[in-house]
Amino acid sequence: MAACKLIGMTVRHEHSTPAIVAEGLVKRYGATTALAGVDLTVPAGTVFGLLGPNGAGKTTAVRVLATLIRPDAGRALVGGYDVRHDSHRVRQLVGLTGQYASVDEMLTGRENLLMIGRLLGLSRSAAKARARELLADFRLTESADRAARTYSGGMRRRLDLAASLVGRPRLLFLDEPTTGLDPRSRNEMWDVVRDLVGGHGVTVLLTTQYLEEADQLADDIAVVDHGRIIAHGSPEALKKQTGAQTLAVRPGDAANTPLVAATVAELVGVAPDVAGSLVSARVTDPAVLPALVRRLDDAGVTVGEITLRSSSLDEVFLALTGHPATAGSNPTEPTSPTDVNGGEPAVDDPAARIPAATRS
Amino acid sequence: MTALTTTLPSQTPGTTGGAEPVGSARVTPLDALRHTATLAWRTLVQVRHNPMELLDFSVQPLMFLLLFTYVFGGAISGSTGDYLTFALPGIIVQNTLFTTLNTGTGLNTDLTKGVFDRLRSLPIARCAPLAGRILADMTKQLWAIAMLLGLGYILGFRVQTGPLQALAACGLVVLFALAASWISVLVGMLVSEPEKVMIFGFTLIFPLTFVSNAFVQTSTMPGWLQAFVKVNPVTALADATRGLLVSGPVWTPTWHALLWAAGLAAVFAPLAVVAFKRRV
């Protein structure tokens, strides 16, 4: 992969050098432990998703890796450079887009980009040219000369992302890039991230609260809770473990509920939850939906309502930890990291992991 | 946002500035100066898109000057012309001290809005955000002084010493402001929101500037108040400025003002830098 070669060159190592390696990162704020020993390896040219609720430690991890704060313990190499001892070099490799768009609202979009270009050592004309390119790429040309405080939320995020790309970083940190965006802007953001990685070989570490976002973008996901990584694996493995989707059916006639429940049980392999006439079950294979429709149709059952929706982060959390994804609460018991790819035997028995309390 | 072709690193090794991987391990002093200048430019350019700020550091001092000259002047000195000659140096001093608050408010805004995170993720000199802000604010100070002197001239104020002394007066005032702005930086780093810098500043600067001889002669005040006025650094600075622009003693108040400036900087600069490093 060309991206690997590029990054390998910059760190004077061979192609397989990971873009990020972190070992035992610890960060405390007074009595609060934001990071309680985080290990990460992000291969060059991939997207790594840190998934977790508010306050799980995702942002702290990004701030440590982007050299904004120093870890209290542990070690991290970004592009082969130690974040603690070679922070200036790390900063030359990375771009950061924060959770709250950190553009200067008093400047225009163009001036924001110009400022960063000049700070990165571009000549006046080179900085202008670069700003023009980025403004065009992010559809901001028309509003380029308006103060950024007049921008919409989506425009601000685009400007923020553009700002972190001025220096053509090899590694990009995206801290909750789509939180608070409408679906259209969110999809745009996803396309940009895909293009950055696929077309340009950039390595991306993103944090998110949305399972769907991690699923859409990441090659690897680490689920973070209370400053620890509690599960790690590919989106597929993670979904297999936790049940990616929830199927809910309500028969047109409530009298058919037992029949529907039995059919779902047969297809999914576990007994579904029944609440009134609503039958729901966690599924890993979306093909269950058409199969169920066919079976019910054959049986002459009219369906009043049928949905297949993505499991929420909350549901994944319950499945993984047994406690809901609420910020700041203490885990009832110490959770040890589960390597999803390691083939835990429990994966075969999803029912054991589906907490009934998640049903709506 | 489909074509990002121009946006990113070229995938062909060797085309983006050769095989030299990452630049230097440190920032050179020359780079640090460039970063400071760029960030000072940024602070000054903000004014263009924020006319309110222009009002704040241009119109407000002019209003003060007109108010003091025409409303209070006759009552205090018997004639507005005499009072203008006495009060203009004091108004310059007062305005300069109030303007130092902008440094703290600006820094606090950058912190709370996340601009500092962005700046600190860039390979730039660590001190540049602070130094750039201070440099820009000193430029605004000079601008405000020039405006006050300009309007003063129109109203009848005349520098009675000489151009060198007048320059020295501006230099002294800005130097004192530089020293005092460390207090503003410290407060800006400690408080949670920009407005609090203003609240703190007004509570401190209002009594300091008014209980001095910036606007009235010390001899008109009760004895116990005179005791405070005489040791107030604002009195020393106002006296020195008056001496350099109009007439009166120069050396003693100038030395006092310089000593105060050195003292303020010696105490508050280290505290402010520690707070800055802890916060960012």
Side-chain angles (χ1 to χ4, degrees):
Chain A
M1 208 171 13
C4 291
K5 219 184 280 171
L6 197 68
I7 291 188
M9 266 178 47
T10 63
V11 296
R12 302 148 308 184
H13 290 306
E14 275 321 299
H15 299 204
S16 55
T17 310
I20 303 173
V21 187
E23 288 164 7
L25 288 184
V26 173
K27 182 71 191 175
R28 292 184 201 88
Y29 291 103
T32 319
T33 303
L35 294 179
V38 165
D39 301 319
L40 288 178
T41 304
V42 181
T46 65
V47 181
F48 192 92
L50 278 178
L51 177 68
N54 262 330
K58 306 184 301 285
T59 299
T60 309
V62 166
R63 290 174 70 83
V64 167
L65 295 172
T67 78
L68 295 187
I69 48 176
R70 284 168 164 260
D72 294 325
R75 213 165 78 98
L77 297 181
V78 172
Y81 292 108
D82 190 304
V83 292
R84 231 194 280 231
H85 307 297
D86 244 336
S87 49
H88 187 66
R89 286 212 156 100
V90 171
R91 290 183 198 119
Q92 290 167 15
L93 292 174
V94 306
L96 171 70
T97 293
Q99 184 169 347
Y100 306 103
S102 55
V103 296
D104 186 336
E105 299 182 358
M106 297 297 179
L107 298 185
T108 64
R110 190 191 306 281
E111 285 163 351
N112 265 291
L113 299 179
L114 265 178
M115 170 181 84
I116 291 178
R118 293 291 284 158
L119 287 174
L120 291 174
L122 298 183
S123 71
R124 209 175 294 269
S125 57
K128 273 185 187 161
R130 184 82 184 121
R132 212 166 25 239
E133 274 170 21
L134 285 164
L135 288 165
D137 281 346
F138 286 89
R139 294 191 292 104
L140 291 167
T141 305
E142 273 177 35
S143 19
D145 297 310
R146 263 172 37 209
R149 66 167 183 276
T150 65
Y151 285 17
S152 70
M155 287 163 70
R156 239 180 250 218
R157 293 292 174 104
R158 297 209 299 269
L159 179 61
D160 196 33
L161 187 53
S164 47
L165 295 176
V166 173
R168 304 175 197 268
R170 276 129 192 168
L171 217 148
L172 196 59
F173 294 109
L174 300 175
D175 192 13
E176 304 207 3
T178 63
T179 300
L181 289 189
D182 58 69
R184 184 169 157 260
S185 309
R186 193 193 55 182
N187 283 328
E188 277 180 1
M189 202 55 112
W190 287 358
D191 286 342
V192 173
V193 174
R194 288 193 192 103
D195 190 46
L196 288 173
V197 180
H200 302 274
V202 173
T203 308
V204 173
L205 185 140
L206 74 92
T207 75
T208 182
Q209 299 190 40
Y210 309 121
L211 180 64
E212 193 196 354
E213 182 161 276
D215 186 17
Q216 286 279 336
L217 296 176
D219 301 299
D220 259 314
I221 299 177
V223 182
V224 193
D225 183 37
H226 295 98
R228 277 175 213 285
I229 291 180
I230 55 165
H232 169 239
S234 66
E236 288 67 36
L238 210 63
K239 281 191 290 185
K240 204 171 162 202
Q241 183 184 357
T242 59
Q245 290 169 315
T246 302
L247 174 73
V249 205
R250 192 192 298 276
D253 179 359
N256 286 325
T257 308
L259 175 64
V260 170
T263 316
V264 170
E266 208 179 304
L267 283 169
V268 177
V270 291
D273 271 5
V274 182
S277 62
L278 185 71
V279 179
S280 56
R282 193 80 65 88
V283 299
T284 48
D285 181 6
V288 164
L289 181 66
L292 179 66
V293 171
R294 256 192 320 271
R295 293 276 290 270
L296 292 178
D297 192 38
D298 291 346
V301 175
T302 335
V303 173
E305 174 192 334
I306 187 160
T307 56
L308 183 64
R309 63 170 174 81
S310 297
S311 300
S312 67
L313 174 62
D314 223 44
E315 289 163 332
V316 170
F317 248 74
L318 264 162
L320 287 170
T321 65
H323 72 83
T326 41
S329 68
N330 283 316
T332 43
E333 57 195 88
T335 43
S336 58
T338 322
D339 188 6
V340 183
N341 290 327
E344 291 273 310
V347 169
D348 296 335
D349 182 15
R353 295 178 173 274
I354 300 175
T358 56
R359 301 299 147 78
S360 47
Chain B
M1 262 189 301
T2 43
L4 282 169
T5 40
T6 52
T7 331
L8 278 151
S10 148
Q11 285 213 36
T12 331
T15 54
T16 49
E20 241 351 87
V22 180
S24 56
R26 308 216 167 281
V27 186
T28 67
L30 191 68
D31 284 336
L33 279 178
R34 255 196 13 216
H35 300 151
T36 302
T38 301
L39 288 170
W41 166 83
R42 166 235 167 185
T43 303
L44 292 174
V45 155
Q46 283 182 339
V47 178
R48 219 165 53 198
H49 311 291
N50 191 17
M52 284 313 286
E53 205 192 326
L54 196 67
L55 279 181
D56 186 50
F57 71 88
S58 304
V59 176
Q60 207 162 289
L62 298 186
M63 253 173 49
F64 254 97
L65 180 58
L66 291 170
L67 182 81
F68 269 86
T69 308
Y70 292 112
V71 179
F72 299 126
I76 296 173
S77 291
S79 100
T80 53
D82 286 352
Y83 187 65
L84 179 65
T85 304
F86 177 81
L88 183 63
I91 292 175
I92 289 178
V93 167
Q94 185 230 26
N95 183 63
T96 306
L97 290 178
F98 272 111
T99 310
T100 59
L101 294 180
N102 290 344
T103 309
T105 350
L107 287 172
N108 192 279
T109 309
D110 281 353
L111 273 178
T112 46
K113 297 266 181 189
V115 176
F116 256 100
D117 282 355
R118 146 101 343 110
L119 294 179
R120 289 174 55 247
S121 73
L122 298 173
I124 61 171
R126 301 289 86 188
C127 63
L130 185 57
R133 167 73 59 182
I134 291 177
L135 181 64
D137 285 347
M138 291 306 125
T139 313
K140 290 186 198 169
Q141 292 277 23
L142 280 174
W143 164 253
I145 294 173
M147 288 221 326
L148 280 169
L149 284 173
L151 182 67
Y153 185 85
I154 296 169
L155 302 182
F157 178 86
R158 293 294 176 269
V159 173
Q160 291 165 21
T161 50
L164 277 183
Q165 285 94 326
L167 278 179
C170 297
L172 179 68
V173 169
V174 170
L175 196 69
F176 194 93
L178 182 63
S181 60
W182 288 112
I183 306 175
S184 178
V185 173
L186 177 65
V187 177
M189 290 298 126
L190 295 180
V191 298
S192 53
E193 50 204 71
E195 291 73 23
K196 289 190 177 148
V197 180
M198 279 297 170
I199 296 168
F200 171 88
F202 271 76
T203 340
L204 180 77
I205 296 175
F206 235 91
L208 268 183
T209 50
F210 278 88
V211 187
S212 75
N213 75 351
F215 304 111
V216 290
Q217 301 280 7
T218 319
S219 55
T220 60
M221 299 178 208
W224 57 271
L225 200 58
Q226 287 191 22
F228 175 78
V229 171
K230 281 175 183 157
V231 296
N232 186 347
V234 179
T235 302
L237 186 60
D239 268 343
T241 313
R242 205 170 278 135
L244 286 165
L245 286 177
V246 191
S247 64
V250 173
W251 289 110
T252 315
T254 302
W255 277 118
H256 281 178
L258 285 174
L259 275 176
W260 268 107
L264 287 177
V267 173
F268 288 101
L271 288 175
V273 169
V274 168
F276 179 74
K277 283 191 175 156
R278 280 185 47 161
R279 185 82 188 256
V280 300

